[in-house]
Amino acid sequence: MANVLCIGAGYVGGPTMAVIAKYCPEHQITIVDINPERIAQWNSDDLPIYEPGLLDVVQEVRGRNLFFSTDIDKKIREADIIFVAINTPTKTYGEGAGRGTDLQYWEQTARAILANTQKKNVIVVEKSTLPVRASAAMDRILHSEQTNTQFEVISNPEFLAEGTAIKDLNDPDRVLIGGSDTESGKKACQTVADLYAHWVPREKILLTNVWSSELSKLFANAMLAQRISSINSITALCEKTGADITEVSHAIGMDQRIGSQFLQASIGFGGSCFRKDILHLAYLCEHYGFPEVAEYWDSVVRMNEYQTSRFFKTILTSQFNSLAGKKNAIFGFAFKPDTGDTRDTPALLLCQKLLGEHAAISITDPKALKNAKIDLADMEGDITFEPDPYKAAEGAHSLVLVTHWEEYRQLDYQRIFESMAKPAFVYDGRNHLDHQKLFEIGFNVFPLGKLPLSHLE
Ligand code: UDX
Ligand code: ADP
């Protein structure tokens, strides 16, 4: 039996440890966080994050072998294995601002581990996405003072996606564990592999060197984001030529070499990982003297911003180049469905641009209104937050779909049309709705990567 600790009770730490606790009942798992409010929420049934299936798992294991605490120092003293799942945001100041990763919390955590640990052998596991060679920095800090503890730092990046975290954790494509080639390094990797082997087939547990593991995480996100930017780049051409992006995506996706996933055109990708990780990858390339490689990856982020701006311009130009005083209903603010997370959501840039035109915006979202309010707190303008999509659309000139929540497909669009100002517009930033039906109801419909269906020409 091991005492497993996770520092950081966020989107990664919470679900990952809950699932480890579920499958490893003989181990005691504790999650700590510097934010006492977060810990209080984890100890209640009003969890701090929305994730389908998460509450069931937490209720099953909480108090059995999963515990949440704010007493970081004490829990470090008791721990044999310490997962570090704190946030590693993009640096906003100094060298590397806007691109590199801010490692101050990471270093604070390393120092807290060094100051408190008491066990003879302690394995520190990087869960957070980090720059390549971050584990070396952790290793150096942990060995910067004489202690009785033998530390082993390994990398075990998390590949779960929000909204499907529990499914992804229960049945991962692979588990990646990177460690040093020494005897103790190999032993530490085995110990962590044994945790996962409670439910993950051994052949899916990959053991690599530390740098490969760290780089694979950054690169996996960069590759996924690049696919989205690639498909999005073609939507502009489709809209001009009459090609249909859904047909194109289907046609190329049937090529097994390309594959069908992550080819869904959108207003742009969001989330806490993609932009941050690509920018960081580009920064690393630049740092190591490969500006052309950095430029290549930077362009994926630029294409993403271009896509959101292009979508905004469609909204502006199709409404006669004048949005001032017109209400636009924003359907969805989360960066994807089945989460309340709004980090890096394209909805934010879009809303900022709409407010810049003095448009009124009424935002609706099943789970993300709380975060939307925080994100837009400093913005001036006519902003309302409305849980009921029908009310959000009342009197609006346009309905702008940003997040493809399943429930948005089920709404009564005849009723919505009747309550809106005319001419009424729909902008579908995810190609999620039935465009022909909306057109027949009377809407002017602007999908992505398809010809618009308009009554106005
Ligand atoms: C991502 C990675 O998928 C995951 O492996 C990693 O651990 C964390 O980053 P996440 O950001 O939670 O996960 O969600 P993901 O499903 O990857 O979607 C990211 C963004 O891309 C969303 O805004 C989504 O709407 C968008 N997207 C995704 C598209 O626009 N088109 C697609 O085809 C797929
Ligand atoms: P992620 O999506 O990577 O899980 P989150 O922001 O959801 O990121 O979660 C990270 C968590 O780590 C937050 O709850 C934050 O309070 C916590 N955290 C950050 N720094 C520390 C620290 N030094 N010690 C303990 N917890 C920390």
Side-chain angles (χ1 to χ4, degrees):
M1 181 206 137
N3 268 327
V4 179
L5 176 67
C6 175
I7 303 180
Y11 285 92
V12 172
T16 309
M17 291 301 130
V19 170
I20 292 182
K22 175 175 131 178
Y23 288 109
C24 304
E26 75 276 26
H27 298 312
Q28 167 142 333
I29 322 275
T30 306
I31 311 182
V32 290
D33 202 287
I34 36 168
N35 181 344
E37 229 172 275
R38 272 218 154 172
I39 292 298
Q41 280 183 295
W42 280 110
N43 276 321
S44 77
D45 284 344
D46 180 22
L47 301 184
I49 61 175
Y50 173 70
E51 192 61 64
L54 175 62
L55 183 60
D56 289 343
V57 183
V58 169
Q59 283 174 334
E60 182 187 335
V61 291
R62 194 171 49 196
R64 182 188 83 181
N65 65 328
L66 180 68
F67 303 90
F68 295 92
S69 165
T70 49
D71 198 344
I72 302 178
D73 294 353
K74 175 166 177 272
K75 295 299 170 188
I76 290 175
R77 284 197 289 278
E78 297 166 357
D80 303 295
I81 304 174
I82 304 177
F83 284 83
V84 183
I86 61 167
N87 38 337
T88 46
T90 302
K91 212 173 162 198
T92 53
Y93 54 88
E95 193 72 15
R99 307 186 78 199
T101 303
D102 190 343
L103 288 173
Q104 61 171 316
Y105 311 109
W106 176 250
E107 179 160 350
Q108 276 164 19
T109 308
R111 291 185 187 283
I113 293 173
L114 178 62
N116 292 290
T117 196
Q118 286 188 347
K119 294 281 177 97
K120 201 160 160 280
N121 292 294
V122 172
I123 302 172
V124 177
V125 188
E126 291 180 353
K127 252 297 169 209
S128 323
T129 305
L130 284 157
V132 183
R133 301 195 85 88
S135 72
M138 170 69 90
D139 202 62
R140 251 178 258 132
I141 294 168
L142 294 177
H143 291 101
S144 63
E145 280 174 25
Q146 203 66 36
T147 61
N148 295 324
T149 304
Q150 166 80 38
F151 288 107
E152 211 39 72
V153 181
I154 67 173
S155 159
N156 168 224
E158 186 46 63
F159 292 100
L160 68 80
E162 287 175 35
T164 53
I166 298 300
K167 189 178 139 287
D168 297 342
L169 287 162
N170 276 326
D171 184 21
D173 285 352
R174 78 315 210 171
V175 168
L176 183 54
I177 301 173
S180 73
D181 206 23
T182 60
E183 270 320 299
S184 59
K186 285 187 204 154
K187 202 170 149 218
C189 289
Q190 260 327 315
T191 305
V192 174
D194 289 345
L195 284 180
Y196 288 102
H198 282 69
W199 78 99
V200 180
R202 284 277 178 188
E203 63 274 16
K204 285 191 175 180
I205 303 177
L206 301 184
L207 301 179
T208 66
N209 81 33
V210 191
W211 325 129
S212 306
S213 171
E214 290 177 332
L215 183 56
S216 299
K217 170 65 191 182
L218 279 184
F219 188 44
N221 279 344
M223 287 290 286
L224 290 168
Q226 184 226 47
R227 280 175 75 90
I228 303 168
S229 276
S230 296
I231 198 83
N232 282 346
S233 75
I234 297 300
T235 56
L237 207 52
C238 285
E239 286 162 30
K240 287 286 176 239
T241 57
D244 180 316
I245 197 67
T246 308
E247 291 174 356
V248 172
S249 168
H250 184 63
I252 66 159
M254 280 180 75
D255 185 326
Q256 288 187 29
R257 294 167 303 174
I258 295 175
S260 62
Q261 291 190 47
F262 267 69
L263 288 180
Q264 177 67 44
S266 65
I267 171 177
F269 59 74
S272 68
C273 292
F274 282 178
R275 193 174 65 97
K276 183 187 82 169
D277 289 354
I278 298 174
L279 289 177
H280 189 79
L281 182 65
Y283 183 61
L284 275 178
C285 293
E286 211 169 85
H287 172 80
Y288 284 107
F290 310 119
E292 291 82 358
V293 185
E295 170 63 19
Y296 174 72
W297 288 107
D298 272 335
S299 74
V300 172
V301 173
R302 278 205 307 279
M303 179 53 61
N304 197 50
E305 285 159 7
Y306 166 75
Q307 181 74 346
T308 311
S309 301
R310 203 174 72 75
F311 187 69
F312 159 73
K313 281 199 185 122
T314 304
I315 299 175
L316 177 63
T317 52
S318 57
Q319 288 187 71
F320 326 111
N321 283 305
S322 133
L323 292 172
K326 288 184 187 166
K327 176 173 164 180
N328 294 269
I330 311 296
F331 273 37
F333 201 87
F335 80 97
K336 65 185 281 195
D338 290 325
T339 177
D341 193 355
T342 62
R343 287 178 292 178
D344 262 336
T345 176
L348 183 59
L349 177 59
L350 179 71
C351 287
Q352 285 165 341
K353 285 181 176 290
L354 290 170
L355 291 168
E357 291 295 327
H358 295 183
I361 54 175
S362 179
I363 300 168
T364 186
D365 189 290
K367 295 287 175 197
L369 284 189
K370 197 169 141 202
N371 282 330
K373 282 179 197 166
I374 297 169
D375 296 345
L376 289 165
D378 294 336
M379 290 298 297
E380 290 195 1
D382 188 344
I383 313 172
T384 48
F385 300 92
E386 178 50 71
D388 180 351
Y390 291 103
K391 287 205 180 122
E394 243 169 50
H397 289 252
S398 86
L399 187 162
V400 184
L401 188 133
V402 175
T403 317
H404 45 303
W405 286 97
E406 185 49 37
E407 48 253 69
Y408 293 158
R409 265 200 239 260
Q410 320 301 337
L411 298 174
D412 178 350
Y413 283 94
Q414 181 69 45
R415 176 179 158 197
I416 289 178
F417 179 73
E418 280 158 20
S419 77
M420 284 175 67
K422 305 295 174 324
F425 296 84
V426 169
Y427 304 94
D428 188 348
R430 301 279 182 173
N431 287 339
H432 185 55
L433 304 175
D434 184 339
H435 301 144
Q436 186 58 34
K437 196 168 157 204
L438 292 172
F439 177 65
E440 283 162 17
I441 289 173
F443 284 105
N444 299 295
V445 187
F446 289 78
L448 267 178
K450 296 166 196 271
L451 293 176
L453 298 169
S454 174
H455 299 280
L456 296 172
E457 277 138 302

